[in-house]
Amino acid sequence: MTCRRALLALLLPFVLVLGGCGLFNSDDAANAAVDTFLGKLSDADYAGAAALVCAPSRSRTTADSLEAEFDRYPRPWTFAIDASSYGSGDSGTANVTITPAGAAAQQYSVGLIDENGWEICDITSGWL
């Protein structure tokens, strides 16, 4: 029993450091950012969704451009992240499906970067 406790005491700091660096939860954090973004779009909170866009893309991905793209879909929506890839750990893509009420499912690709937390950099129709 004392050997197990000693081993745990030795390994716990390494696990905490690696977890704090995002090694274990990078995909979860990125997917949570996509989920938050899609939730705001689903609620027609276009200003809130635009606030989640990365700085280099803010001039082209605005509340108005998001409204023009997504206001045409009847509400309520369901949405799902179908696949995601976060290769180097600081950027990635998520393929998502938005299913508006009484309408056909729509597929989008969401690009993200992680500068000071995950941010959406683009959203394009279709999957990449």
Side-chain angles (χ1 to χ4, degrees), residues 105-122:
Q106 304 295 316
Q107 297 174 332
Y108 284 88
S109 180
V110 179
L112 299 95
I113 61 168
D114 182 10
E115 291 184 332
N116 293 317
W118 286 97
E119 295 179 305
I120 308 305
C121 277
D122 60 63

Side-chain angles (χ1 to χ4, degrees), residues 41 45-51 58 60-69:
L41 290 177
D45 179 4
Y46 301 113
R58 286 187 191 133
R60 70 177 183 276
T61 306
T62 64
D64 289 340
S65 70
L66 291 170
E67 183 176 3
E69 177 68 24

Side-chain angles (χ1 to χ4, degrees), residues 26-116:
S26 179
D27 289 1
D28 291 342
N31 286 341
V34 173
D35 192 57
T36 300
F37 180 73
L38 293 174
K40 292 202 178 288
L41 290 177
S42 177
D43 292 340
D45 179 4
Y46 301 113
L52 301 174
V53 173
C54 69
S57 298
R58 286 187 191 133
S59 63
R60 70 177 183 276
T61 306
T62 64
D64 289 340
S65 70
L66 291 170
E67 183 176 3
E69 177 68 24
F70 294 100
D71 205 42
R72 60 189 161 138
Y73 300 130
R75 300 216 170 34
W77 297 355
T78 59
F79 54 85
I81 299 171
D82 299 298
S84 58
S85 174
Y86 306 108
S88 66
D90 62 355
S91 66
T93 304
N95 290 329
V96 301
T97 299
I98 295 170
T99 307
Q106 304 295 316
Q107 297 174 332
Y108 284 88
S109 180
V110 179
L112 299 95
I113 61 168
D114 182 10
E115 291 184 332
N116 293 317

